[in-house]
Amino acid sequence: MADTTHPGDRTAQDRELKARHRALWASGDYPAVAAEIIPSLGPELVAACGVAAGDRVLDVAAGSGNAALPAAAAGAVVTASDLTPELFDQGRRIADERGVRLEWVEADAEALPFADDSFDIVMSCVGAMFAPHHQATADELLRVARPGGRIGLISWTPEGFIGHLFATMKPYAPPPPPGASPPPLWGSEEHVRALFGDRVDDLSMRRRSVRMDHCATPLEFREYWKRNYGPTIAAYRNTREHPERVEALDREFLEFLTAWNRSEDEGSTAYDAEYLLVTATKR
């Protein structure tokens, strides 16, 4: 069947979708999550990409700069881009504290406002994976990297802790937009190969994990997610008019966190969250 949607309607729908995504990540306190739960991931990505002084680096879906800030500290010329500029304030404060300089640009990962071949390194630390249209995002990551430039990504895997967290919330979350792919698919090697195709060389994909041990109990960790993490906040908002569904989500979320807790010590938790570290060179 032919698409009878008027181009202007599609544009309006896309603006509405991006506004919802911006509001989702502006809710809660994602800078706290980045700083308290996964602070090691940004420096690891910077090291994997081989960021060096003078490199032109773009951090896509940078949030508050978990990867952009250590790249700037390495002497690179860094642009931190994100659809949600509300996250930049904390990043700017950290940059001032550390004495590093970088540019902060509001930008959609699916339509980056940069010229072709602009950067030596294009990277994203559990950020670009949340743009709903994966092929469009992959195309943009490659487009703005120069030939011979490096691509670096860290993404949660479908089989890991965060992948299962999203699976737990899915029945309660708002429905995804048409054509959207699940974010953790970026943690699938097969999916990444299909997205990049024959446009990259030296494609390396390594599964690793980061330990999350910030909270004393699964219940405390549940409340941490509910307070700080945009997708969790969205799931609870989507069910708030149905108390029985809120109760069910609370129960299933706590059961999930209890089952995945790897700590054997009372008064502590430990969650090993698997991610896929991807590096490649643009042809």
Side-chain angles (χ1 to χ4, degrees):
M1 181 180 294
D3 182 2
T4 58
T5 306
H6 189 276
D9 294 336
R10 288 196 294 271
T11 302
Q13 291 169 2
D14 187 66
R15 285 198 299 267
E16 180 184 355
L17 168 62
K18 297 308 165 64
R20 290 201 304 270
H21 269 255
R22 175 174 173 172
L24 182 150
W25 290 106
S27 64
D29 190 353
Y30 185 75
V33 175
E36 297 168 354
I37 304 297
I38 53 170
S40 64
L41 294 191
E44 180 180 359
L45 181 59
V46 169
C49 290
V51 174
D55 283 339
R56 298 166 298 166
V57 175
L58 174 64
D59 187 1
V60 179
S64 52
N66 198 20
L69 289 163
V77 180
V78 179
T79 300
S81 69
D82 202 285
L83 186 67
T84 307
E86 291 87 345
L87 302 175
F88 294 163
D89 288 344
Q90 180 64 13
R92 290 189 179 101
R93 284 192 288 270
I94 298 172
D96 288 343
E97 291 170 1
R98 298 181 183 178
V100 297
R101 299 183 62 183
L102 60 160
E103 182 182 17
W104 303 87
V105 177
E106 180 179 347
D108 178 0
E110 298 178 2
L112 293 169
F114 308 109
D116 296 358
D117 309 332
S118 293
F119 297 95
D120 301 306
I121 297 171
V122 179
M123 62 183 185
S124 185
C125 181
V126 294
M129 64 177 289
F130 290 100
H133 303 108
H134 292 189
Q135 190 62 64
T137 301
D139 293 347
E140 284 295 273
L141 297 175
L142 288 169
R143 180 184 66 79
V144 300
R146 66 166 175 81
R150 296 185 293 283
I151 308 293
L153 303 167
I154 286 179
S155 306
W156 304 120
T157 66
E159 302 86 359
F161 171 72
I162 299 296
H164 280 269
L165 184 152
F166 274 92
T168 300
M169 294 191 299
K170 183 178 179 180
Y172 304 94
S181 298
L185 269 182
W186 271 104
S188 161
E189 293 90 342
E190 182 179 359
H191 188 63
V192 172
R193 288 191 188 95
L195 291 173
F196 289 153
D198 60 0
R199 297 176 292 174
V200 300
D201 292 315
D202 307 318
L203 179 60
S204 170
M205 295 185 281
R206 290 161 281 174
R207 291 192 176 221
R208 296 182 174 178
S209 65
V210 59
R211 173 150 287 196
M212 301 178 177
D213 54 6
H214 182 69
C215 295
T217 66
L219 177 59
E220 182 182 331
F221 204 27
R222 186 192 72 185
E223 297 308 301
Y224 183 94
W225 289 106
K226 290 170 64 174
R227 184 171 61 250
N228 292 313
Y229 194 55
T232 306
I233 293 169
Y236 276 91
R237 283 179 177 170
N238 192 54
T239 60
R240 62 187 170 188
E241 295 182 2
H242 304 278
E244 72 285 356
R245 286 178 57 76
V246 174
E247 182 179 349
L249 176 53
D250 263 347
R251 182 179 63 256
E252 292 179 23
F253 200 174
L254 186 57
E255 289 173 352
F256 160 71
L257 291 174
T258 301
W260 278 72
N261 182 17
R262 298 296 178 258
S263 176
E264 297 179 356
D265 299 324
E266 186 176 353
S268 68
T269 59
Y271 299 92
D272 294 321
E274 185 184 62
Y275 58 90
L276 185 69
L277 172 62
V278 174
T279 56
T281 303
K282 177 181 172 179
R283 288 186 176 177

